[in-house]
Amino acid sequence: MSNLPPIVILRLRNMTAIDATGLGAIRDLADEVQSTGRTLLLCGAREQPSQLMQQSEFERHVGKENIVASINDAIRRSNELYSSQYASDARWQA
């Protein structure tokens, strides 16, 4: 995981459905990403996965602001995050 950028975007556009096990796997990924000082953004979730994330309070786990509708929104959010949290940190400089 050490070779990942500071902001990881997980596109969910092709995931038509998810159950508690799948949501748990995404939660585990989020925990792993966050434990390394990175941020996980989720984007493009369809109706069923989006509803399950809301019902299970998953949004509170990764931050509601880090679950966005589209890849364009995710890129915008990543730019905001990078500018405010990562740009001045030497470990994230290329």
Side-chain angles (χ1 to χ4, degrees):
M1 190 153 303
S2 64
N3 60 346
L4 291 176
I7 302 162
V8 178
I9 299 174
L10 182 61
R11 293 180 81 178
L12 304 175
R13 67 182 179 166
N14 293 325
M15 184 176 63
T16 57
I18 193 169
D19 61 9
T21 302
L23 199 57
I26 295 174
R27 184 178 295 118
D28 291 346
L29 173 65
D31 289 343
E32 183 73 22
V33 168
Q34 291 169 352
S35 75
T36 63
R38 293 170 171 81
T39 301
L40 178 67
L41 300 179
L42 305 173
C43 71
R46 293 185 180 200
E47 185 177 351
Q48 188 274 343
S50 182
Q51 287 177 351
L52 185 60
M53 286 181 202
Q54 291 172 356
Q55 291 170 356
S56 66
E57 299 180 1
F58 182 80
E59 292 176 334
R60 282 200 291 178
H61 190 76
V62 298
K64 186 174 183 173
E65 66 281 0
N66 293 329
I67 301 174
V68 295
S70 69
I71 188 65
N72 289 333
D73 293 335
I75 292 169
R76 258 191 298 281
R77 175 75 179 136
S78 68
N79 287 334
E80 292 168 6
L81 284 169
Y82 189 82
S83 296
S84 66
Q85 295 181 19
Y86 299 104
S88 62
D89 190 331
R91 68 183 165 150
W92 304 118
Q93 303 304 312

